Amino acid sequence: MRGALVAAVIRPATAADRPAVRELQKLLDHRAPALLEAAFDTEVRGIGGDAFVADDGGVVGYALAVPGARDADPSVVYLAELAVAPGVRREGYGRRLVAALADGYDHDQLRVTVAADDDGARAFYTAAGFWELADLPDRFDGADGVLLVRDLS
């Protein structure tokens, strides 16, 4: 363990975080590099997505969120990517990143899509307050997905 979890800071990603976040993104089976780059390249927060990091003396995790239209019904924030370094998993960084997203947007729902056969991801998100909304056949290069939702309002 790097440091006490209470010392970790969840904050918006900065340009200086880009190399560490790119390395963490390599851990994901399904990634959106262009979406992540847009989050770093945008001058206006909320255009192209927002990246947040868990910083415990260095970046140990990140979340990439894409807010939808605020006037939609329901208004939705999409959790496009979440990754935590293998050496610090199960220490609460992922939970804290999800909580920061849930608290940081004035939207109705936070949504995430996971592979249907990824029992670990499904258990993590269920423990974080998500529920299953829909099955998504052939979502991941022929593999099925599941759309999970957490109410924010």
Side-chain angles (χ1 to χ4, degrees):
M1 177 158 58
R2 293 177 63 105
L5 183 56
V6 294
V9 174
I10 306 300
R11 59 172 175 76
T14 66
D17 299 321
R18 187 184 300 221
V21 171
R22 281 183 179 157
E23 283 303 308
L24 286 169
Q25 189 183 47
K26 292 177 183 177
L27 299 170
L28 301 175
D29 291 333
H30 307 284
R31 39 191 175 270
L35 189 58
L36 183 62
E37 289 305 310
F40 278 109
D41 290 338
T42 186
E43 293 295 323
V44 180
R45 190 174 188 277
I47 306 292
D50 298 318
F52 297 86
V53 296
D55 184 340
D56 190 12
V59 175
V60 296
Y62 83 96
L64 177 61
V66 180
R70 180 64 197 107
D71 59 354
D73 186 24
S75 58
V76 175
V77 175
Y78 297 92
L79 175 53
E81 295 182 350
L82 175 69
V84 175
V88 295
R89 289 186 181 155
R90 298 188 177 272
E91 293 184 22
Y93 296 105
R95 239 182 2 262
R96 291 194 55 207
L97 284 162
V98 169
L101 295 181
D103 292 341
Y105 290 95
D106 185 23
H107 285 65
D108 298 321
Q109 295 181 339
L110 178 60
R111 293 184 178 189
V112 63
T113 302
V114 299
D117 63 356
D118 190 340
D119 295 332
R122 291 174 79 169
F124 168 80
Y125 287 113
T126 298
F130 287 78
W131 48 275
E132 195 170 310
L133 179 65
D135 293 325
L136 304 172
D138 298 321
R139 174 63 173 94
F140 298 107
D141 300 322
D144 294 341
V146 177
L147 178 62
L148 303 172
V149 176
R150 177 175 167 171
D151 290 322
L152 301 179
S153 53

